Amino acid sequence: MSMTIDKPLQTRRSEVRLISRRTARSILPLSICAIIVLIVLAPLLWAIVTALKSEVDAVAYPPTFWPSPISFENFLRVLSGTNFTAELLNSVYYSVGSVLLSMLVAAPAGYAASRLSFRGKGALMLVVLASSMIPTVALLVPIYGLLDKFSLVNNAFAIIVIEAARIAPQNVWFIQNFVDSVPQEIEEAAFIDGASRKQTFFSIVLPLIKPGLAATFILGLITVWNDYLTVAVFAPDSARRTLQVAIVNQVLDSLLQEVLPSRR
């Protein structure tokens, strides 16, 4: 006689139902995330597919999703352009230089805002936050007047300083929050061991907030890289322009070439 006794059928059914519910609960969030990712990536995917089409297929109606045949003519045309390398280097130069300069100012300022107590600190931080809300368009005319007075129009270092001043307020707030997450007891132990405020900042606080510094660097880099107005207004020379300015100019030139002949 077998000593193994099967479970009742009702118990097995309840287990199957429980497993099915758990599976449904896990599949639903994954499905929602997949849909969101698809919506976000769809424009990027469409841009890549369009870039692989010929000029005729790219403007054909109705549009086709997959290029046939695949063409790299657009990439070769861009890479063989006379100003592409210079525009790419200018974008990298302005972006990296501006973020590094802003971080040199924002890191100690954020640390001071987090650790030091002084009268009016709250009001000062609100002023710093409010300065980041000023539209760039509102500052174009006065800044251009200053640059023109000192012959700094088309000056690369002036562009870097302007961009750094633009992102420095938000970087100060970011770094202040990251420093707030570091327990003060660690710094107090360093002070007891004889470390100065400077040594504590460079040897203890900065290494502990490296992920926050990296996130702040990336956000600032994206902000400066995507900026169009600053370079377009303060560096109109073609040798100083960035990829963003070149792309917008190319689109505008293409539109003008289509609109003007039709009006004639």
Side-chain angles (χ1 to χ4, degrees), residues 194-244:
S196 63
R197 176 75 69 176
K198 179 180 178 181
Q199 291 174 329
T200 304
F201 173 66
F202 284 103
S203 301
I204 297 177
V205 177
L206 285 184
L208 291 176
I209 63 171
K210 280 183 179 180
L213 294 177
T216 304
F217 184 91
I218 293 173
L219 290 174
L221 191 70
I222 294 174
T223 301
V224 179
W225 183 273
N226 292 330
D227 185 32
Y228 166 78
L229 279 177
T230 302
V231 180
V233 174
F234 302 135
D237 189 2
S238 59
R240 297 293 184 184
R241 69 183 182 184
T242 59
L243 281 177
Q244 290 70 30

mmCIF file of all heavy atoms in Angstrom, residues 194-244:
data_model
loop_
_atom_site.group_PDB
_atom_site.id
_atom_site.type_symbol
_atom_site.label_atom_id
_atom_site.label_comp_id
_atom_site.label_asym_id
_atom_site.label_seq_id
_atom_site.Cartn_x
_atom_site.Cartn_y
_atom_site.Cartn_z
ATOM 1 N N GLY A 194 41.593 65.761 14.595
ATOM 2 C CA GLY A 194 42.463 66.865 14.212
ATOM 3 C C GLY A 194 42.332 67.333 12.779
ATOM 4 O O GLY A 194 43.132 68.153 12.316
ATOM 5 N N ALA A 195 41.350 66.818 12.035
ATOM 6 C CA ALA A 195 41.175 67.232 10.638
ATOM 7 C C ALA A 195 40.546 68.617 10.584
ATOM 8 O O ALA A 195 39.706 68.979 11.415
ATOM 9 C CB ALA A 195 40.300 66.235 9.888
ATOM 10 N N SER A 196 40.946 69.392 9.585
ATOM 11 C CA SER A 196 40.379 70.711 9.384
ATOM 12 C C SER A 196 39.111 70.607 8.541
ATOM 13 O O SER A 196 38.775 69.552 8.013
ATOM 14 C CB SER A 196 41.384 71.626 8.688
ATOM 15 O OG SER A 196 41.698 71.132 7.394
ATOM 16 N N ARG A 197 38.415 71.734 8.417
ATOM 17 C CA ARG A 197 37.205 71.743 7.592
ATOM 18 C C ARG A 197 37.540 71.423 6.137
ATOM 19 O O ARG A 197 36.808 70.697 5.465
ATOM 20 C CB ARG A 197 36.541 73.116 7.699
ATOM 21 C CG ARG A 197 35.316 73.298 6.826
ATOM 22 C CD ARG A 197 34.116 72.566 7.369
ATOM 23 N NE ARG A 197 33.629 73.163 8.597
ATOM 24 C CZ ARG A 197 32.541 72.775 9.248
ATOM 25 N NH1 ARG A 197 31.846 71.739 8.784
ATOM 26 N NH2 ARG A 197 32.147 73.358 10.372
ATOM 27 N N LYS A 198 38.659 71.934 5.666
ATOM 28 C CA LYS A 198 39.076 71.683 4.280
ATOM 29 C C LYS A 198 39.397 70.211 4.074
ATOM 30 O O LYS A 198 38.980 69.605 3.071
ATOM 31 C CB LYS A 198 40.289 72.551 3.953
ATOM 32 C CG LYS A 198 40.830 72.369 2.553
ATOM 33 C CD LYS A 198 42.035 73.270 2.317
ATOM 34 C CE LYS A 198 42.611 73.061 0.919
ATOM 35 N NZ LYS A 198 43.803 73.930 0.693
ATOM 36 N N GLN A 199 40.137 69.614 5.019
ATOM 37 C CA GLN A 199 40.475 68.198 4.900
ATOM 38 C C GLN A 199 39.228 67.324 4.960
ATOM 39 O O GLN A 199 39.119 66.328 4.234
ATOM 40 C CB GLN A 199 41.452 67.809 6.003
ATOM 41 C CG GLN A 199 42.834 68.432 5.852
ATOM 42 C CD GLN A 199 43.725 68.138 7.048
ATOM 43 O OE1 GLN A 199 43.237 67.993 8.175
ATOM 44 N NE2 GLN A 199 45.036 68.067 6.813
ATOM 45 N N THR A 200 38.291 67.692 5.814
ATOM 46 C CA THR A 200 37.052 66.928 5.921
ATOM 47 C C THR A 200 36.253 66.992 4.625
ATOM 48 O O THR A 200 35.688 65.988 4.176
ATOM 49 C CB THR A 200 36.200 67.467 7.081
ATOM 50 O OG1 THR A 200 36.967 67.425 8.287
ATOM 51 C CG2 THR A 200 34.944 66.646 7.254
ATOM 52 N N PHE A 201 36.230 68.171 4.018
ATOM 53 C CA PHE A 201 35.464 68.349 2.783
ATOM 54 C C PHE A 201 36.048 67.513 1.649
ATOM 55 O O PHE A 201 35.323 66.793 0.953
ATOM 56 C CB PHE A 201 35.449 69.832 2.410
ATOM 57 C CG PHE A 201 34.833 70.122 1.072
ATOM 58 C CD1 PHE A 201 33.485 69.901 0.850
ATOM 59 C CD2 PHE A 201 35.603 70.621 0.031
ATOM 60 C CE1 PHE A 201 32.910 70.159 -0.389
ATOM 61 C CE2 PHE A 201 35.042 70.885 -1.202
ATOM 62 C CZ PHE A 201 33.691 70.659 -1.416
ATOM 63 N N PHE A 202 37.362 67.582 1.474
ATOM 64 C CA PHE A 202 37.982 66.893 0.344
ATOM 65 C C PHE A 202 38.187 65.396 0.591
ATOM 66 O O PHE A 202 38.089 64.597 -0.349
ATOM 67 C CB PHE A 202 39.336 67.545 0.017
ATOM 68 C CG PHE A 202 39.215 68.851 -0.709
ATOM 69 C CD1 PHE A 202 39.411 70.041 -0.032
ATOM 70 C CD2 PHE A 202 38.896 68.896 -2.056
ATOM 71 C CE1 PHE A 202 39.299 71.259 -0.692
ATOM 72 C CE2 PHE A 202 38.787 70.098 -2.727
ATOM 73 C CZ PHE A 202 38.980 71.291 -2.046
ATOM 74 N N SER A 203 38.481 65.017 1.829
ATOM 75 C CA SER A 203 38.836 63.621 2.113
ATOM 76 C C SER A 203 37.665 62.755 2.546
ATOM 77 O O SER A 203 37.731 61.523 2.427
ATOM 78 C CB SER A 203 39.919 63.572 3.203
ATOM 79 O OG SER A 203 41.075 64.291 2.796
ATOM 80 N N ILE A 204 36.593 63.367 3.050
ATOM 81 C CA ILE A 204 35.482 62.583 3.582
ATOM 82 C C ILE A 204 34.185 62.840 2.818
ATOM 83 O O ILE A 204 33.553 61.913 2.304
ATOM 84 C CB ILE A 204 35.287 62.877 5.087
ATOM 85 C CG1 ILE A 204 36.532 62.450 5.865
ATOM 86 C CG2 ILE A 204 34.039 62.172 5.611
ATOM 87 C CD1 ILE A 204 36.474 62.754 7.334
ATOM 88 N N VAL A 205 33.781 64.103 2.726
ATOM 89 C CA VAL A 205 32.470 64.417 2.157
ATOM 90 C C VAL A 205 32.433 64.145 0.659
ATOM 91 O O VAL A 205 31.529 63.460 0.155
ATOM 92 C CB VAL A 205 32.088 65.878 2.462
ATOM 93 C CG1 VAL A 205 30.760 66.225 1.798
ATOM 94 C CG2 VAL A 205 31.993 66.098 3.959
ATOM 95 N N LEU A 206 33.404 64.677 -0.074
ATOM 96 C CA LEU A 206 33.390 64.499 -1.530
ATOM 97 C C LEU A 206 33.417 63.035 -1.958
ATOM 98 O O LEU A 206 32.665 62.630 -2.851
ATOM 99 C CB LEU A 206 34.549 65.270 -2.171
ATOM 100 C CG LEU A 206 34.399 66.790 -2.250
ATOM 101 C CD1 LEU A 206 35.570 67.402 -2.995
ATOM 102 C CD2 LEU A 206 33.089 67.187 -2.931
ATOM 103 N N PRO A 207 34.281 62.182 -1.349
ATOM 104 C CA PRO A 207 34.226 60.761 -1.746
ATOM 105 C C PRO A 207 32.891 60.089 -1.446
ATOM 106 O O PRO A 207 32.473 59.196 -2.185
ATOM 107 C CB PRO A 207 35.357 60.127 -0.920
ATOM 108 C CG PRO A 207 36.302 61.252 -0.652
ATOM 109 C CD PRO A 207 35.441 62.453 -0.467
ATOM 110 N N LEU A 208 32.202 60.536 -0.392
ATOM 111 C CA LEU A 208 30.935 59.914 -0.036
ATOM 112 C C LEU A 208 29.792 60.342 -0.955
ATOM 113 O O LEU A 208 28.781 59.632 -1.051
ATOM 114 C CB LEU A 208 30.570 60.241 1.421
ATOM 115 C CG LEU A 208 31.453 59.589 2.492
ATOM 116 C CD1 LEU A 208 31.059 60.071 3.879
ATOM 117 C CD2 LEU A 208 31.348 58.073 2.411
ATOM 118 N N ILE A 209 29.915 61.481 -1.597
ATOM 119 C CA ILE A 209 28.835 61.959 -2.466
ATOM 120 C C ILE A 209 29.222 61.857 -3.944
ATOM 121 O O ILE A 209 28.680 62.586 -4.781
ATOM 122 C CB ILE A 209 28.433 63.408 -2.110
ATOM 123 C CG1 ILE A 209 29.604 64.371 -2.341
ATOM 124 C CG2 ILE A 209 27.927 63.509 -0.690
ATOM 125 C CD1 ILE A 209 29.214 65.834 -2.220
ATOM 126 N N LYS A 210 30.153 60.962 -4.258
ATOM 127 C CA LYS A 210 30.555 60.796 -5.664
ATOM 128 C C LYS A 210 29.383 60.463 -6.584
ATOM 129 O O LYS A 210 29.280 61.016 -7.681
ATOM 130 C CB LYS A 210 31.634 59.712 -5.770
ATOM 131 C CG LYS A 210 33.036 60.192 -5.415
ATOM 132 C CD LYS A 210 34.045 59.065 -5.610
ATOM 133 C CE LYS A 210 35.458 59.542 -5.275
ATOM 134 N NZ LYS A 210 36.458 58.450 -5.452
ATOM 135 N N PRO A 211 28.477 59.552 -6.194
ATOM 136 C CA PRO A 211 27.319 59.302 -7.082
ATOM 137 C C PRO A 211 26.483 60.554 -7.314
ATOM 138 O O PRO A 211 26.008 60.786 -8.434
ATOM 139 C CB PRO A 211 26.527 58.230 -6.328
ATOM 140 C CG PRO A 211 27.534 57.560 -5.452
ATOM 141 C CD PRO A 211 28.486 58.630 -5.044
ATOM 142 N N GLY A 212 26.304 61.362 -6.272
ATOM 143 C CA GLY A 212 25.554 62.610 -6.445
ATOM 144 C C GLY A 212 26.270 63.598 -7.335
ATOM 145 O O GLY A 212 25.642 64.276 -8.156
ATOM 146 N N LEU A 213 27.596 63.671 -7.205
ATOM 147 C CA LEU A 213 28.371 64.555 -8.074
ATOM 148 C C LEU A 213 28.282 64.093 -9.531
ATOM 149 O O LEU A 213 28.185 64.927 -10.449
ATOM 150 C CB LEU A 213 29.828 64.584 -7.615
ATOM 151 C CG LEU A 213 30.106 65.210 -6.250
ATOM 152 C CD1 LEU A 213 31.592 65.099 -5.910
ATOM 153 C CD2 LEU A 213 29.674 66.670 -6.215
ATOM 154 N N ALA A 214 28.304 62.777 -9.732
ATOM 155 C CA ALA A 214 28.190 62.252 -11.094
ATOM 156 C C ALA A 214 26.827 62.576 -11.689
ATOM 157 O O ALA A 214 26.726 62.965 -12.862
ATOM 158 C CB ALA A 214 28.429 60.747 -11.094
ATOM 159 N N ALA A 215 25.765 62.424 -10.897
ATOM 160 C CA ALA A 215 24.426 62.750 -11.385
ATOM 161 C C ALA A 215 24.298 64.231 -11.701
ATOM 162 O O ALA A 215 23.715 64.624 -12.724
ATOM 163 C CB ALA A 215 23.384 62.335 -10.348
ATOM 164 N N THR A 216 24.856 65.078 -10.835
ATOM 165 C CA THR A 216 24.823 66.521 -11.081
ATOM 166 C C THR A 216 25.603 66.877 -12.334
ATOM 167 O O THR A 216 25.175 67.722 -13.134
ATOM 168 C CB THR A 216 25.413 67.261 -9.871
ATOM 169 O OG1 THR A 216 24.703 66.893 -8.686
ATOM 170 C CG2 THR A 216 25.308 68.765 -10.050
ATOM 171 N N PHE A 217 26.747 66.226 -12.526
ATOM 172 C CA PHE A 217 27.562 66.473 -13.719
ATOM 173 C C PHE A 217 26.796 66.105 -14.986
ATOM 174 O O PHE A 217 26.789 66.853 -15.973
ATOM 175 C CB PHE A 217 28.858 65.679 -13.623
ATOM 176 C CG PHE A 217 29.824 65.936 -14.747
ATOM 177 C CD1 PHE A 217 30.788 66.930 -14.631
ATOM 178 C CD2 PHE A 217 29.770 65.193 -15.915
ATOM 179 C CE1 PHE A 217 31.679 67.167 -15.666
ATOM 180 C CE2 PHE A 217 30.652 65.415 -16.950
ATOM 181 C CZ PHE A 217 31.611 66.411 -16.825
ATOM 182 N N ILE A 218 26.129 64.962 -14.966
ATOM 183 C CA ILE A 218 25.403 64.499 -16.153
ATOM 184 C C ILE A 218 24.228 65.426 -16.467
ATOM 185 O O ILE A 218 23.994 65.788 -17.634
ATOM 186 C CB ILE A 218 24.922 63.055 -15.951
ATOM 187 C CG1 ILE A 218 26.122 62.109 -15.886
ATOM 188 C CG2 ILE A 218 23.981 62.630 -17.074
ATOM 189 C CD1 ILE A 218 25.765 60.691 -15.516
ATOM 190 N N LEU A 219 23.486 65.826 -15.448
ATOM 191 C CA LEU A 219 22.353 66.730 -15.675
ATOM 192 C C LEU A 219 22.825 68.072 -16.239
ATOM 193 O O LEU A 219 22.206 68.620 -17.162
ATOM 194 C CB LEU A 219 21.584 66.946 -14.369
ATOM 195 C CG LEU A 219 20.787 65.751 -13.851
ATOM 196 C CD1 LEU A 219 20.190 66.058 -12.490
ATOM 197 C CD2 LEU A 219 19.682 65.388 -14.829
ATOM 198 N N GLY A 220 23.911 68.605 -15.684
ATOM 199 C CA GLY A 220 24.449 69.852 -16.212
ATOM 200 C C GLY A 220 24.955 69.698 -17.631
ATOM 201 O O GLY A 220 24.790 70.590 -18.470
ATOM 202 N N LEU A 221 25.584 68.563 -17.912
ATOM 203 C CA LEU A 221 26.100 68.310 -19.258
ATOM 204 C C LEU A 221 24.970 68.271 -20.281
ATOM 205 O O LEU A 221 25.080 68.841 -21.373
ATOM 206 C CB LEU A 221 26.875 66.996 -19.272
ATOM 207 C CG LEU A 221 27.705 66.691 -20.522
ATOM 208 C CD1 LEU A 221 28.892 67.629 -20.604
ATOM 209 C CD2 LEU A 221 28.179 65.248 -20.505
ATOM 210 N N ILE A 222 23.870 67.620 -19.927
ATOM 211 C CA ILE A 222 22.729 67.557 -20.842
ATOM 212 C C ILE A 222 22.139 68.942 -21.064
ATOM 213 O O ILE A 222 21.766 69.313 -22.189
ATOM 214 C CB ILE A 222 21.665 66.585 -20.284
ATOM 215 C CG1 ILE A 222 22.216 65.159 -20.269
ATOM 216 C CG2 ILE A 222 20.386 66.651 -21.098
ATOM 217 C CD1 ILE A 222 21.296 64.162 -19.596
ATOM 218 N N THR A 223 22.056 69.740 -19.993
ATOM 219 C CA THR A 223 21.482 71.077 -20.105
ATOM 220 C C THR A 223 22.298 71.954 -21.040
ATOM 221 O O THR A 223 21.749 72.626 -21.928
ATOM 222 C CB THR A 223 21.403 71.736 -18.718
ATOM 223 O OG1 THR A 223 20.604 70.928 -17.849
ATOM 224 C CG2 THR A 223 20.793 73.124 -18.806
ATOM 225 N N VAL A 224 23.604 71.954 -20.876
ATOM 226 C CA VAL A 224 24.463 72.796 -21.718
ATOM 227 C C VAL A 224 24.521 72.251 -23.144
ATOM 228 O O VAL A 224 24.514 73.014 -24.111
ATOM 229 C CB VAL A 224 25.875 72.892 -21.114
ATOM 230 C CG1 VAL A 224 26.786 73.739 -21.996
ATOM 231 C CG2 VAL A 224 25.807 73.501 -19.711
ATOM 232 N N TRP A 225 24.569 70.940 -23.286
ATOM 233 C CA TRP A 225 24.657 70.337 -24.627
ATOM 234 C C TRP A 225 23.437 70.697 -25.476
ATOM 235 O O TRP A 225 23.558 70.928 -26.680
ATOM 236 C CB TRP A 225 24.772 68.824 -24.490
ATOM 237 C CG TRP A 225 24.935 68.112 -25.794
ATOM 238 C CD1 TRP A 225 23.943 67.687 -26.626
ATOM 239 C CD2 TRP A 225 26.166 67.744 -26.429
ATOM 240 N NE1 TRP A 225 24.468 67.073 -27.729
ATOM 241 C CE2 TRP A 225 25.834 67.091 -27.642
ATOM 242 C CE3 TRP A 225 27.507 67.888 -26.093
ATOM 243 C CZ2 TRP A 225 26.798 66.601 -28.513
ATOM 244 C CZ3 TRP A 225 28.461 67.385 -26.963
ATOM 245 C CH2 TRP A 225 28.119 66.756 -28.143
ATOM 246 N N ASN A 226 22.263 70.745 -24.858
ATOM 247 C CA ASN A 226 21.034 71.029 -25.600
ATOM 248 C C ASN A 226 20.754 72.514 -25.767
ATOM 249 O O ASN A 226 19.756 72.874 -26.405
ATOM 250 C CB ASN A 226 19.837 70.371 -24.900
ATOM 251 C CG ASN A 226 19.881 68.858 -24.969
ATOM 252 O OD1 ASN A 226 20.408 68.289 -25.925
ATOM 253 N ND2 ASN A 226 19.335 68.205 -23.962
ATOM 254 N N ASP A 227 21.583 73.359 -25.200
ATOM 255 C CA ASP A 227 21.334 74.797 -25.281
ATOM 256 C C ASP A 227 21.584 75.297 -26.702
ATOM 257 O O ASP A 227 22.581 74.954 -27.333
ATOM 258 C CB ASP A 227 22.231 75.540 -24.295
ATOM 259 C CG ASP A 227 21.907 77.020 -24.261
ATOM 260 O OD1 ASP A 227 20.738 77.382 -24.467
ATOM 261 O OD2 ASP A 227 22.831 77.828 -24.036
ATOM 262 N N TYR A 228 20.674 76.119 -27.166
ATOM 263 C CA TYR A 228 20.793 76.689 -28.511
ATOM 264 C C TYR A 228 20.995 78.200 -28.474
ATOM 265 O O TYR A 228 21.864 78.735 -29.176
ATOM 266 C CB TYR A 228 19.546 76.348 -29.329
ATOM 267 C CG TYR A 228 19.418 77.158 -30.604
ATOM 268 C CD1 TYR A 228 20.177 76.841 -31.729
ATOM 269 C CD2 TYR A 228 18.553 78.240 -30.685
ATOM 270 C CE1 TYR A 228 20.082 77.577 -32.892
ATOM 271 C CE2 TYR A 228 18.442 78.986 -31.845
ATOM 272 C CZ TYR A 228 19.205 78.651 -32.947
ATOM 273 O OH TYR A 228 19.106 79.392 -34.092
ATOM 274 N N LEU A 229 20.217 78.904 -27.664
ATOM 275 C CA LEU A 229 20.200 80.364 -27.705
ATOM 276 C C LEU A 229 21.542 80.986 -27.353
ATOM 277 O O LEU A 229 21.987 81.928 -28.005
ATOM 278 C CB LEU A 229 19.119 80.893 -26.762
ATOM 279 C CG LEU A 229 17.683 80.890 -27.282
ATOM 280 C CD1 LEU A 229 16.737 81.379 -26.208
ATOM 281 C CD2 LEU A 229 17.562 81.751 -28.525
ATOM 282 N N THR A 230 22.178 80.467 -26.309
ATOM 283 C CA THR A 230 23.406 81.102 -25.825
ATOM 284 C C THR A 230 24.474 81.145 -26.909
ATOM 285 O O THR A 230 25.061 82.208 -27.177
ATOM 286 C CB THR A 230 23.942 80.349 -24.596
ATOM 287 O OG1 THR A 230 22.943 80.341 -23.575
ATOM 288 C CG2 THR A 230 25.190 81.024 -24.057
ATOM 289 N N VAL A 231 24.722 80.023 -27.550
ATOM 290 C CA VAL A 231 25.757 79.979 -28.588
ATOM 291 C C VAL A 231 25.299 80.722 -29.832
ATOM 292 O O VAL A 231 26.094 81.413 -30.486
ATOM 293 C CB VAL A 231 26.115 78.520 -28.918
ATOM 294 C CG1 VAL A 231 27.180 78.454 -29.993
ATOM 295 C CG2 VAL A 231 26.590 77.799 -27.662
ATOM 296 N N ALA A 232 24.034 80.601 -30.185
ATOM 297 C CA ALA A 232 23.538 81.253 -31.399
ATOM 298 C C ALA A 232 23.620 82.773 -31.314
ATOM 299 O O ALA A 232 23.877 83.441 -32.314
ATOM 300 C CB ALA A 232 22.094 80.831 -31.664
ATOM 301 N N VAL A 233 23.442 83.330 -30.105
ATOM 302 C CA VAL A 233 23.442 84.788 -29.946
ATOM 303 C C VAL A 233 24.838 85.319 -29.659
ATOM 304 O O VAL A 233 25.266 86.316 -30.256
ATOM 305 C CB VAL A 233 22.470 85.197 -28.819
ATOM 306 C CG1 VAL A 233 22.567 86.697 -28.541
ATOM 307 C CG2 VAL A 233 21.043 84.822 -29.198
ATOM 308 N N PHE A 234 25.562 84.666 -28.768
ATOM 309 C CA PHE A 234 26.843 85.198 -28.320
ATOM 310 C C PHE A 234 28.033 84.699 -29.131
ATOM 311 O O PHE A 234 29.144 85.191 -28.940
ATOM 312 C CB PHE A 234 27.060 84.854 -26.843
ATOM 313 C CG PHE A 234 25.983 85.372 -25.945
ATOM 314 C CD1 PHE A 234 25.445 84.559 -24.961
ATOM 315 C CD2 PHE A 234 25.490 86.661 -26.087
ATOM 316 C CE1 PHE A 234 24.437 85.029 -24.134
ATOM 317 C CE2 PHE A 234 24.481 87.136 -25.263
ATOM 318 C CZ PHE A 234 23.946 86.315 -24.294
ATOM 319 N N ALA A 235 27.817 83.714 -29.991
ATOM 320 C CA ALA A 235 28.902 83.211 -30.847
ATOM 321 C C ALA A 235 28.366 82.994 -32.258
ATOM 322 O O ALA A 235 28.243 81.848 -32.719
ATOM 323 C CB ALA A 235 29.495 81.928 -30.277
ATOM 324 N N PRO A 236 28.015 84.062 -32.975
ATOM 325 C CA PRO A 236 27.438 83.909 -34.316
ATOM 326 C C PRO A 236 28.433 83.429 -35.367
ATOM 327 O O PRO A 236 28.032 83.005 -36.448
ATOM 328 C CB PRO A 236 26.941 85.329 -34.641
ATOM 329 C CG PRO A 236 27.794 86.234 -33.810
ATOM 330 C CD PRO A 236 28.094 85.472 -32.552
ATOM 331 N N ASP A 237 29.717 83.488 -35.063
ATOM 332 C CA ASP A 237 30.716 83.032 -36.027
ATOM 333 C C ASP A 237 30.564 81.527 -36.257
ATOM 334 O O ASP A 237 30.395 80.752 -35.317
ATOM 335 C CB ASP A 237 32.122 83.347 -35.502
ATOM 336 C CG ASP A 237 33.196 83.088 -36.548
ATOM 337 O OD1 ASP A 237 32.851 82.698 -37.683
ATOM 338 O OD2 ASP A 237 34.389 83.257 -36.229
ATOM 339 N N SER A 238 30.612 81.100 -37.504
ATOM 340 C CA SER A 238 30.432 79.685 -37.832
ATOM 341 C C SER A 238 31.522 78.809 -37.223
ATOM 342 O O SER A 238 31.304 77.624 -36.962
ATOM 343 C CB SER A 238 30.421 79.501 -39.351
ATOM 344 O OG SER A 238 31.639 79.960 -39.919
ATOM 345 N N ALA A 239 32.702 79.364 -36.963
ATOM 346 C CA ALA A 239 33.786 78.586 -36.375
ATOM 347 C C ALA A 239 33.556 78.307 -34.891
ATOM 348 O O ALA A 239 34.216 77.435 -34.317
ATOM 349 C CB ALA A 239 35.116 79.306 -36.562
ATOM 350 N N ARG A 240 32.630 79.034 -34.246
ATOM 351 C CA ARG A 240 32.370 78.876 -32.818
ATOM 352 C C ARG A 240 31.055 78.172 -32.528
ATOM 353 O O ARG A 240 30.760 77.904 -31.360
ATOM 354 C CB ARG A 240 32.345 80.254 -32.141
ATOM 355 C CG ARG A 240 33.648 81.005 -32.190
ATOM 356 C CD ARG A 240 34.714 80.325 -31.378
ATOM 357 N NE ARG A 240 35.947 81.091 -31.331
ATOM 358 C CZ ARG A 240 37.058 80.674 -30.746
ATOM 359 N NH1 ARG A 240 37.078 79.490 -30.159
ATOM 360 N NH2 ARG A 240 38.149 81.413 -30.753
ATOM 361 N N ARG A 241 30.274 77.878 -33.547
ATOM 362 C CA ARG A 241 28.948 77.328 -33.298
ATOM 363 C C ARG A 241 29.025 75.842 -32.945
ATOM 364 O O ARG A 241 30.002 75.159 -33.244
ATOM 365 C CB ARG A 241 28.053 77.531 -34.509
ATOM 366 C CG ARG A 241 28.426 76.716 -35.729
ATOM 367 C CD ARG A 241 27.520 77.062 -36.893
ATOM 368 N NE ARG A 241 27.823 76.251 -38.069
ATOM 369 C CZ ARG A 241 27.229 76.408 -39.249
ATOM 370 N NH1 ARG A 241 26.306 77.343 -39.394
ATOM 371 N NH2 ARG A 241 27.546 75.626 -40.265
ATOM 372 N N THR A 242 27.965 75.351 -32.321
ATOM 373 C CA THR A 242 27.888 73.963 -31.871
ATOM 374 C C THR A 242 27.001 73.154 -32.813
ATOM 375 O O THR A 242 26.413 73.680 -33.763
ATOM 376 C CB THR A 242 27.324 73.902 -30.448
ATOM 377 O OG1 THR A 242 26.018 74.513 -30.443
ATOM 378 C CG2 THR A 242 28.215 74.647 -29.473
ATOM 379 N N LEU A 243 26.904 71.862 -32.522
ATOM 380 C CA LEU A 243 26.057 70.997 -33.337
ATOM 381 C C LEU A 243 24.591 71.416 -33.285
ATOM 382 O O LEU A 243 23.876 71.327 -34.292
ATOM 383 C CB LEU A 243 26.187 69.547 -32.862
ATOM 384 C CG LEU A 243 27.429 68.775 -33.308
ATOM 385 C CD1 LEU A 243 27.422 67.392 -32.683
ATOM 386 C CD2 LEU A 243 27.490 68.667 -34.815
ATOM 387 N N GLN A 244 24.146 71.871 -32.118
ATOM 388 C CA GLN A 244 22.753 72.268 -31.984
ATOM 389 C C GLN A 244 22.438 73.445 -32.907
ATOM 390 O O GLN A 244 21.408 73.465 -33.594
ATOM 391 C CB GLN A 244 22.445 72.647 -30.528
ATOM 392 C CG GLN A 244 22.447 71.488 -29.571
ATOM 393 C CD GLN A 244 23.828 70.922 -29.335
ATOM 394 O OE1 GLN A 244 24.825 71.639 -29.414
ATOM 395 N NE2 GLN A 244 23.912 69.637 -29.066
#
